[in-house]
Amino acid sequence: MVFDSISNFYNYVSIHPQFSSVSGFLSVVNIAALPAGRHFVNEDGAFANVDEYKTKDISEGFIEFHKKYIDIQIILRGKEKIGICNKDSARELEFNEEKDFGKLEGKADFITLNENYFVIFFPHDGHMPQIMAESPESVKKMVIKVPV
């Protein structure tokens, strides 16, 4: 997992071959103005999903993970807490291969993701997004999906 300011994303381009094109996408696109929906990032299978939602109570959340994609989650408006854990410290409940989406049971620690910050979740990182920081609020978030 990586947690940093979006202005520092260029420091992480050496982590994965596609992170350079993600950095290029972030530097030329007005990400705050992107409408909800799916957006093209590169020809190698990376794409961005922009979503708007209301954060929820921790009791409504669950820990998730992915096998085929790395998540780069960026808050465009608002803030949310995100639970984090190593996948190996939790128990896998289910996994949907087609949707590349699994659920875990375990204990999560929490970070607060504010506007213009990002977090990168790799396949070994469990994460519980969309949790309210203090009270429910409207959030706009972009999740860039990068093939492993």
Side-chain angles (χ1 to χ4, degrees), residues 12-47:
Y12 305 97
V13 297
S14 64
I15 292 177
H16 188 280
Q18 290 196 42
F19 281 15
S20 180
S21 63
V22 169
S23 182
F25 172 80
L26 294 173
S27 67
V28 299
V29 173
N30 180 357
I31 60 174
L34 284 175
R38 189 172 178 151
H39 303 274
F40 174 83
V41 173
N42 67 31
E43 293 182 4
D44 294 320
F47 60 93

Side-chain angles (χ1 to χ4, degrees), residues 18-132:
Q18 290 196 42
F19 281 15
S20 180
S21 63
V22 169
S23 182
F25 172 80
L26 294 173
S27 67
V28 299
V29 173
N30 180 357
I31 60 174
L34 284 175
R38 189 172 178 151
H39 303 274
F40 174 83
V41 173
N42 67 31
E43 293 182 4
D44 294 320
F47 60 93
N49 284 325
V50 176
D51 196 13
E52 297 184 55
Y53 53 84
K54 201 135 186 103
T55 56
K56 56 192 172 191
D57 187 77
I58 190 172
S59 65
E60 299 175 66
F62 56 86
I63 305 169
E64 64 183 66
F65 72 100
H66 314 286
K67 294 181 181 178
K68 298 177 190 172
Y69 287 94
I70 297 166
D71 272 9
I72 302 171
Q73 300 192 10
I74 305 166
I75 296 292
L76 304 175
R77 185 183 65 243
K79 68 177 177 254
E80 69 179 43
K81 282 186 169 182
I82 298 180
I84 56 173
C85 73
N86 188 294
K87 184 176 171 281
D88 293 341
S89 68
R91 186 172 69 88
E92 187 173 326
L93 298 175
E94 60 187 74
F95 190 79
N96 183 317
E97 290 287 339
E98 185 178 313
K99 294 182 179 182
D100 187 43
F101 183 83
K103 290 185 179 182
L104 299 171
E105 180 179 74
K107 181 182 177 321
D109 295 310
F110 286 84
I111 59 172
T112 300
L113 195 58
N114 292 294
E115 288 180 21
N116 299 312
Y117 277 78
F118 74 94
V119 63
I120 302 173
F121 293 115
F122 298 93
H124 63 270
D125 296 320
H127 50 286
M128 181 190 299
Q130 301 185 3
I131 305 301
M132 64 183 175

Side-chain angles (χ1 to χ4, degrees), residues 10-11 45 50 111 140:
Y10 65 92
N11 289 322
V50 176
I111 59 172
K140 182 177 182 183

